[in-house]
Amino acid sequence: MNRILVAVAMLALMACTQDSSEESAPQYFATANGPVEFEFPSGWYKNEERHPFDLQCFSEYERMNTGVFLFAAEDLAEDLSPREVLQRQIDDMSSKRENFRILEEEQVIQREGQTLTTVVFSGEKDSSRSFYKFTLIEFTESPELIPVLLQVSTPSYWNEHKPVLEGIAASGRVRKQGAQDNG
């Protein structure tokens, strides 16, 4: 009888351990209108409410978020470059914030299969201050897909958690055909 109880207890512990490891695993969420997806850390969740993004996810305590606009090159004017698409997103946010100032100059990072162009601003709205990280991703193999990320953080979270936002942006990839979204 004791052996059975021990075996049942071990199985229950293994099930709990498996569930918690699945919850702590990073997860990919895809844009609603295209085959681009990003990896988010454990605790982040997809916003299911109405919003202007093609994908929006929040950190566990909502002190950071990532919004993704996905543009298709065929939907844009022929003479509009990806960098101009990025600038339009920056200009739009600038028009909606007070004291909108550059915090970190533009940085271009070449990675295998992608180029990330990032610039960070600070701004104020409704007596709160936030940092706004814009990232344009250009995929070598899929130049027709133009994702622009807007990642927002409270200043108190910025220094410690900036690598999390960078990791999300760098994880951007074109989904494999038939892949399922975790969210």
Side-chain angles (χ1 to χ4, degrees):
M1 186 66 162
N2 284 344
R3 286 185 190 161
I4 293 173
L5 289 175
V6 168
V8 168
M10 287 180 63
L11 285 173
L13 273 174
M14 287 173 45
C16 289
T17 303
Q18 183 177 9
D19 287 344
S20 65
S21 67
E22 285 176 8
E23 287 178 16
S24 66
Q27 55 195 334
Y28 275 90
F29 293 121
T31 57
N33 69 335
V36 177
E37 64 185 1
F38 296 87
E39 183 179 45
F40 290 88
S42 173
W44 282 66
Y45 63 94
K46 187 175 177 179
N47 181 5
E48 299 293 348
E49 302 296 318
R50 187 180 171 127
H51 55 80
F53 300 98
D54 296 301
L55 171 66
Q56 185 181 40
C57 295
F58 291 100
S59 66
E60 186 173 8
Y61 299 108
E62 296 186 9
R63 291 189 178 112
M64 298 185 300
N65 70 72
T66 295
V68 180
F69 293 107
L70 180 60
F71 300 92
E74 67 183 323
D75 295 337
L76 303 173
E78 286 184 31
D79 62 342
L80 189 67
S81 72
R83 291 182 69 98
E84 289 172 308
V85 172
L86 171 64
Q87 188 59 51
R88 286 182 177 194
Q89 295 304 308
I90 293 168
D91 293 344
D92 181 61
M93 182 59 68
S94 175
S95 73
K96 298 173 181 173
R97 298 296 182 266
E98 299 294 322
N99 300 315
F100 196 72
R101 296 186 179 106
I102 195 150
L103 184 67
E104 295 179 14
E105 295 291 332
E106 182 178 291
Q107 180 179 19
V108 179
I109 299 171
Q110 299 281 334
R111 297 174 40 89
E112 185 177 331
Q114 63 181 213
T115 300
L116 289 90
T117 303
T118 301
V119 62
V120 181
F121 294 85
S122 67
E124 299 168 1
K125 180 180 179 186
D126 300 332
S127 72
S128 292
R129 184 170 167 235
S130 296
F131 292 164
Y132 302 90
K133 180 180 180 284
F134 294 86
T135 304
L136 164 67
I137 302 175
E138 296 174 271
F139 295 112
T140 306
E141 298 294 320
S142 299
E144 73 282 2
L145 298 172
I146 306 169
V148 175
L149 282 68
L150 169 56
Q151 297 177 295
V152 182
S153 173
T154 60
S156 62
Y157 257 50
W158 182 251
N159 288 332
E160 183 178 349
H161 298 281
K162 180 182 171 188
V164 172
L165 299 177
E166 291 170 341
I168 292 167
S171 75
R173 66 184 186 188
V174 178
R175 286 172 79 162
K176 297 174 183 83
Q177 196 125 12
Q180 293 290 323
D181 181 13
N182 289 346

